[in-house]
Amino acid sequence: MSQAASSPAAPAAVPEQAAPDNPRLARLGLSEKAGFAIGDFGFNLYWTSIASFLAVFYTDVFGLPAAVAGTMLLVTKIVDALTDPVVGALADRTRSRWGKFRPWLLLGALPMAAAGVLTFTTPDLGESGKIVYAYITYSAMMLAYSVLSTPYSSLSGVMTAHPQERNTLISLRFIAAFAGMTFVNKYTLPLVEWLGQGNEQLGWQLTMALYGAIACAIFAVTFFFTRERIVPPPAQKTRVRDDLRDLLHNRPWLILIALAMVIMLTITLRGGSSYYYFKYYVERPDLISNYLAAQALALAAGAALTPLLTRYVDKTRLLVILMAIVGTLSVAFYFVPRDAIWLMFTLNILISLALGPKSPLAWSMYADSADYNEWRTGRRATAMTFSAATCAQKLGGALGSALMLWTLAVFGYVANQAQASQTGIALLQTVVPGVFALLAALLVSFYPLNNARLEKIQAQIRERERARE
């Protein structure tokens, strides 16, 4: 595994018992960890609805052609992704009695709820009018999502820098995230049917209104139960272009950006194609909710195991191993017979277990790259670091959705009819995400911040802080 240029001789790592008098290495209470973690349950009421159901909503309910929907998802997500660094720059420069990032959770909650309802509303318009409406409402939804998600993700980077506490905090976050994913995957379609009472369009609208109300309450909990401890150096005054230049010279961060895009392609293709796979390839649409729920539960279990795994295996090496497993099993999935339902569910659970630790590991690495940037330059831009990562995730998700819908169009997909060719649907659920997972394993192997290097970096940052006191 390649390493960055060697650093000057560093003092011994700060021992864990030093944490009580060092806010950077704070041990977090259970209520604060839970308060932060539950926020991602709220985000997944939207993120999972988008990843698992928005494509099929646009093609089978809203009435857009698959190719048009794919292009719309990609174009709007590219524009949206470019707003993430802007939100990050604003958040880094926010000054309030509640910190830099927490106030944004209250500011963005209601706009997010309203935009979610409008996105899943089907107006009585012609095809051109529907396309324009979809572009506007989905763009508004993702802009509101950026205003919320970038500060929320950045919050984990300033609550503590204690390596194991950070791993645990982010693991709990993704347990909550996958719990939200499980809830959405299991209950969204039944809720649409129940709330709509036969009117599928009304059902989607009311379901998103319910999700919006729940999410607003959750974001308020996160605001009140968390605390920001790590602040930039007191004399730091930087311009946005300085922050961007720092990131472009931050090798660990650059690797993580590429990794985020590739892994989101893997996740989006697996989640988004599941509906099409079971409805048109397996011809068992009744299994969709249970399949997605099993997937989300296995992801949550994998995330829960992350703190234990990182005690014994360096997180960089662990991520390489896990993504290699995901890739290998995904390719093997292609050869499962259509009537071997038990094998489909088994492979799905195994793949998801291996994929589960990806999120806590990667987001912990983003926080580490912010520390690395502070150590290297003397400047800290936490939100800018996380916003660019979120940008890469959105681009990866958009490319995944667009690739899926374009592939369906190439293979002659027609909504709610038997498909002439089912090969493309099978590839989208199996081989294609598998190849991207193997590419992710290769990318991680170049990441230079192992545990030993991070301990030296944290120790040197603390020495500088002591020198300023």
Side-chain angles (χ1 to χ4, degrees), residues 181 185 191 279:
M181 183 185 294
N185 285 334
L191 278 171
K279 182 174 181 178

Side-chain angles (χ1 to χ4, degrees), residues 31 46 48 77 163 200 207 222 254 266-267 297 302 351 438 450:
S31 62
Y46 299 109
T48 306
K77 194 63 73 72
E200 193 173 16
T207 297
T222 300
L254 291 172
T266 305
I267 293 173
L297 286 172
I351 292 169
L438 293 173
N450 57 27

Side-chain angles (χ1 to χ4, degrees), residues 74-277:
L74 179 60
V75 171
T76 54
K77 194 63 73 72
I78 289 174
V79 174
D80 164 61
L82 297 177
T83 67
D84 287 326
V86 177
V87 175
L90 291 172
D92 272 328
R93 288 156 178 79
T94 298
R95 300 288 186 271
S96 81
R97 59 183 293 189
W98 302 286
K100 292 178 175 293
F101 308 129
R102 292 166 59 229
W104 292 80
L105 295 172
L106 298 184
L107 177 67
L110 285 176
M112 180 75 240
V117 173
L118 290 174
T119 299
F120 282 86
T121 295
T122 307
D124 186 14
L125 302 170
E127 182 174 317
S128 297
K130 284 187 175 183
I131 293 172
V132 172
Y133 180 87
Y135 269 87
I136 293 173
T137 55
Y138 184 58
S139 295
M141 181 181 183
M142 295 315 300
L143 175 61
Y145 190 93
S146 294
V147 169
L148 277 165
S149 66
T150 297
Y152 171 76
S153 296
S154 304
L155 184 57
S156 65
V158 297
M159 291 171 66
T160 181
H162 190 290
Q164 195 60 27
E165 284 291 286
R166 185 176 275 172
N167 287 339
T168 301
L169 177 68
I170 298 178
S171 295
L172 288 172
R173 167 192 174 176
F174 283 100
I175 292 172
F178 293 135
M181 183 185 294
T182 304
F183 178 86
V184 171
N185 285 334
K186 176 68 176 175
Y187 295 110
T188 294
L189 295 180
L191 278 171
V192 169
E193 182 177 354
W194 180 62
L195 292 173
Q197 294 293 303
N199 185 336
E200 193 173 16
Q201 296 175 348
L202 177 63
W204 278 107
Q205 190 178 47
L206 294 178
T207 297
M208 294 310 297
L210 174 62
Y211 287 174
I214 296 171
C216 286
I218 286 174
F219 297 145
V221 169
T222 300
F223 171 84
F224 285 111
F225 279 82
T226 55
R227 177 184 168 195
E228 299 180 26
R229 295 177 179 82
I230 300 174
V231 297
Q236 174 175 313
K237 292 182 180 179
T238 58
R239 296 166 294 184
V240 174
R241 68 182 183 183
D242 294 327
D243 294 343
L244 290 171
R245 186 175 62 248
D246 288 345
L247 289 177
L248 292 175
H249 289 86
N250 185 332
R251 183 180 168 217
W253 178 84
L254 291 172
I255 293 172
L256 291 173
I257 291 303
L259 180 66
M261 292 187 64
V262 173
I263 291 182
M264 279 310 301
L265 278 163
T266 305
I267 293 173
T268 303
L269 286 167
R270 290 195 73 239
S273 65
S274 297
Y275 185 98
Y276 299 100
Y277 183 79

